[in-house]
Amino acid sequence: MKLQRKNMLRASALGALVVSGALVLTACGSDNNTKDGGSASGKPSAAAGDIKCDGAKGKLLASGSSAQKNAVDLWVKNYMAACSGVEVNYKSSSSGEGIVAFNQGTVGFAGSDSALKPDAVEESKKVCTGGQGINLPMVGGPIAIGFNVAGVDKLTLDAPTLANIFNDKIKKWDDEAIKKLNPGVTLPSTAIQAFHRSEDSGTTENLGKYLKAAAPEAWTYEAAKKWPAPGGQAATGSAGVASQVKAVDGAIGYFELSYASAQSIKTVDVNTGAAAPVKASADSASKAIAAAKIAGTGSDLALKLDYTTKAEGAYPIVLVTYEIVCDKGNKAETLPTVKSFLNYTASDAGQKVLSDNGYAPIPAEINTKVREVINSLS
């Protein structure tokens, strides 16, 4: 209970930074919902021998995706405990803000739930001397659809119904489309309160990719970081959306699964056309991510996900968060720390932190390539 109260208090603070081994948790700062250091004792979950400091020193600034924040918090805690004299500050904001910071040269790497667009790659060449920004897949996981409907403990929805909820066409919880997917469930006439991200968000873009692929007739918007549909209410960060869903009867919203787990928010099972609806979990997301293909070229490891999968037990609303770095032209003063830290996050020990905390590790064959690219950074 003490840990839960501590996390709830942290969940109200916006704009903090990860600044110490005690892990003062960061921005959109409501985004702290992790277990303390990945272990019941509060001690780092990785032994010092799992982390090679390799000349890392000083301060490393990074920023971006709030979806990966809970994983990064654990990584930072473990890493800083092993590498004395090194400070890693990850500002959790949004994918869009992370990319802007990266292309302004103010951070050593950025976290983004969507791969760099061509114009952002071109802009990155100004700060990556002789090189460019590349995408390294590091964190996988499900985008949970959280709901809060009094008297309803289990809810199944499909892509067209989700699209029509989020585009403001289905307005009541006892709508016939929802009732058809939930036989035997007593649904109230409560008004639907749909929440979305207020800022540019890779989580928003990935949800849009799913809806566009799986329900193209209902969701006619192109996937984008900015929320495209009419209606609904906006909240800041994954944690802001989760907090609203937790507080409001009739609410529905989307956020990384750990926010739902930490606040005991019920999540939607997705009818994909498989034999049974699929619940959001690290395992079900892993089954979907395992089918991803590398779409990038050279050192860029951007992935193409199959949002229309009907594989048994594969949860289709997934995201992969990339760490964005320069392939060449990294700043000499931070390059050793960037490589050392990312080598840890991509290691077996680093990826185990993900599976232990509700995220989906990157498939081994892809992660092997990630490690090779990290070692080649210059």
Side-chain angles (χ1 to χ4, degrees):
M1 291 298 294
K2 185 180 292 184
L3 178 57
Q4 183 180 20
R5 287 196 296 271
K6 185 177 180 182
N7 282 342
M8 289 175 68
L9 286 171
R10 285 176 177 169
S12 65
L14 297 176
L17 287 175
V18 178
V19 293
S20 72
L23 207 61
V24 179
L25 298 170
T26 71
C28 279
S30 41
D31 294 18
N32 172 37
N33 299 304
T34 63
K35 299 173 185 176
D36 188 4
S39 67
S41 67
K43 295 179 180 179
S45 59
D50 295 329
I51 298 172
K52 295 179 172 57
C53 303
D54 290 336
K57 59 183 179 180
K59 181 183 292 186
L60 172 63
L61 300 179
S63 69
S65 165
S66 64
Q68 72 166 0
K69 178 193 182 298
N70 294 334
V72 175
D73 286 347
L74 294 172
W75 282 334
V76 167
K77 187 169 189 174
N78 293 341
Y79 182 79
M80 288 172 57
C83 297
S84 60
V86 181
E87 185 178 318
V88 180
N89 293 354
Y90 181 78
K91 179 182 178 182
S92 167
S93 50
S94 69
S95 298
E97 291 178 49
I99 290 170
V100 168
F102 179 77
N103 280 340
Q104 290 176 341
T106 60
V107 295
F109 71 89
S112 175
D113 305 328
S114 295
L116 290 171
K117 297 289 192 297
D119 58 341
V121 172
E122 192 62 31
E123 188 176 353
S124 73
K125 294 177 182 179
K126 298 175 184 176
V127 295
C128 301
T129 307
Q132 65 181 42
I134 58 172
N135 305 282
L136 300 179
M138 198 67 70
V139 182
I143 301 173
I145 307 296
F147 70 96
N148 178 6
V149 183
V152 179
D153 293 323
K154 185 175 177 60
L155 185 69
T156 297
L157 298 173
D158 59 11
T161 308
L162 278 168
N164 284 325
I165 286 172
F166 280 116
N167 68 16
D168 206 32
K169 291 183 178 178
I170 294 179
K171 298 178 181 292
K172 299 283 187 179
W173 279 110
D174 62 351
D175 187 276
E176 287 301 320
I178 301 176
K179 290 168 68 174
K180 185 177 179 180
L181 290 163
N182 295 274
V185 176
T186 301
L187 293 162
S189 60
T190 308
I192 293 174
Q193 306 284 340
F195 288 89
H196 58 263
R197 293 279 289 272
S198 60
E199 76 282 19
D200 285 1
S201 160
T203 310
T204 294
E205 185 171 7
N206 280 278
L207 175 65
K209 288 178 181 178
Y210 162 72
L211 294 174
K212 181 70 172 177
E217 293 182 1
W219 193 259
T220 58
Y221 312 99
E222 294 301 320
K225 291 183 174 66
K226 185 176 181 62
W227 181 256
Q233 301 174 62
T236 302
S238 294
V241 175
S243 294
Q244 290 296 321
V245 172
K246 177 74 172 179
V248 177
D249 183 28
I252 187 169
Y254 59 94
F255 31 80
E256 190 274 325
L257 182 61
S258 68
Y259 299 104
S261 301
Q263 298 189 51
S264 300
I265 297 171
K266 295 182 286 288
T267 62
V268 168
D269 295 349
V270 177
N271 183 335
T272 64
V278 186
K279 185 176 294 295
S281 71
D283 288 342
S284 62
S286 291
K287 290 181 180 178
I289 294 171
K293 306 295 184 185
I294 294 176
T297 58
S299 297
D300 185 80
L301 299 179
L303 301 179
K304 181 176 178 59
L305 299 168
D306 180 7
Y307 294 99
T308 62
T309 180
K310 293 180 174 59
E312 297 300 328
Y315 184 81
I317 317 176
V318 294
L319 59 75
V320 169
T321 292
Y322 300 94
E323 311 310 342
I324 295 171
V325 295
C326 296
D327 57 354
K328 299 176 183 177
N330 289 277
K331 293 180 180 178
E333 62 270 25
T334 56
L335 178 59
T337 308
V338 168
K339 294 177 72 170
S340 170
F341 181 69
L342 295 183
N343 265 318
Y344 163 55
T345 66
S347 70
D348 290 341
Q351 290 292 295
K352 187 175 186 300
V353 167
L354 300 183
S355 57
D356 287 348
N357 290 277
Y359 291 91
I362 300 303
E365 62 274 17
I366 295 174
N367 198 40
T368 296
K369 296 179 180 179
V370 171
R371 296 177 192 177
E372 291 173 356
V373 172
I374 292 169
N375 288 325
S376 74
L377 299 178
S378 62

